[in-house]
Amino acid sequence: MYLKECTGRGVRVAVIDSGVHAAHPHVGGVSWGLAIREDGSLDDDYVDRLGHGTAVVAAIREKAPDAEIGVIKVFWRGLATDVPTLVRAIDEAAARKATLVNLSLGTPDPRHRDALEAAVARANRGGSLIVSAIENAGVNWLPGSLDGTLPAQLDWSCDRSAYHVVENQGRRTIAASGYPRDIPGVPRDRNVKGISFAVANATGFAARALECAPAAAADALLDLLAAHAEVRQPAST
């Protein structure tokens, strides 16, 4: 089955971010959601009041419209959280049997390597694969630079409907566009953009691949993605 014929059916995706505006027409609802407050308590208020998580979910939904998407809200007043909260969110995603965990966030601080390495290992044992940035602006990021993740990187030359598999730091990496879904009436350069959406687009393509090869490990998934990559250049304006 070619990836373009897949829709992410049967794939369970967790998006760790600022929550979601589930009624947004680019989202079309989510299957489940929860929030982790700054004191570590769980909450059912996963409504997005920052917009970032909604744009991330929308990008994934576009690529994998039939995936089962759930959200874990960790951003409240701004797009920042602490590593214990991030680790807790990864554990919660794995506990809910997420096949893919979209992390359009991370840290360059090597002091957090051990904690995040342990979280990645726990997620892998539970059958969850984390999609996250391997680097940003030439700086290595965690957890995407760790073994056991599905790394993504930003490629502004890549069309939003395409991706390619490249080598980065000796690891195969999904390179994808840094643009989210376009908003009617809003110029692309005025919309949010960046590495967050390269990760989200990569997650959408990975969800398609997992529909074709359920329970595939990262290497097998990258084999499939590489075999069916269709690189298209952005249209001229």
Side-chain angles (χ1 to χ4, degrees):
M1 180 181 291
Y2 293 101
L3 293 190
K4 65 183 179 181
E5 299 172 353
C6 297
T7 60
R9 186 176 301 278
V11 180
R12 191 172 172 90
V13 180
V15 177
I16 299 172
D17 211 283
S18 62
V20 69
H21 175 38
H24 192 286
H26 286 175
V27 172
V30 293
S31 299
W32 56 274
L34 62 97
I36 303 174
R37 290 202 167 271
E38 293 168 337
D39 63 2
S41 62
L42 297 183
D43 199 322
D44 59 4
D45 176 16
Y46 58 86
V47 175
D48 183 11
R49 297 179 178 86
L50 300 175
H52 189 269
T54 298
V56 166
V57 173
I60 297 169
R61 180 70 79 194
E62 178 188 43
K63 305 292 187 303
D66 291 325
E68 182 183 343
I69 299 179
V71 298
I72 300 177
K73 179 176 175 177
V74 296
F75 295 150
W76 293 87
R77 291 168 291 184
L79 299 179
T81 188
D82 56 29
V83 170
T85 300
L86 176 55
V87 168
R88 173 76 181 278
I90 293 170
D91 288 342
E92 293 290 343
R96 285 160 178 76
K97 304 301 181 184
T99 317
L100 293 173
V101 181
N102 186 94
L103 279 185
S104 290
L105 66 151
T107 176
D109 191 339
R111 293 176 297 178
H112 301 304
R113 182 183 182 91
D114 289 349
L116 289 169
E117 204 163 43
V120 169
R122 288 193 299 273
N124 290 168
R125 287 195 297 271
S128 298
L129 184 59
I130 294 168
V131 187
S132 194
I134 190 170
E135 54 88 14
N136 188 27
V139 178
N140 286 359
W141 273 67
L142 299 168
S145 60
L146 297 173
D147 290 341
T149 63
L150 191 62
Q153 72 178 52
L154 173 63
D155 184 350
W156 289 117
S157 72
C158 197
D159 187 272
R160 289 199 64 258
S161 62
Y163 67 91
H164 50 155
V165 176
V166 300
E167 289 281 333
N168 189 326
Q169 303 171 47
R171 297 182 65 200
R172 288 185 298 172
T173 301
I174 305 171
S177 170
Y179 290 109
R181 291 183 70 163
D182 290 329
I183 299 175
V186 177
R188 179 170 280 187
D189 61 357
R190 298 284 299 276
N191 196 4
V192 291
K193 56 185 177 293
I195 186 64
S196 292
F197 302 100
V199 174
N201 289 323
T203 296
F205 290 121
R208 287 189 195 175
L210 272 173
E211 179 188 350
C212 294
D219 284 345
L221 202 60
L222 284 162
D223 287 342
L224 182 60
L225 287 164
H228 294 286
E230 181 183 356
V231 180
R232 284 191 270 171
Q233 298 301 316
S236 59
T237 57

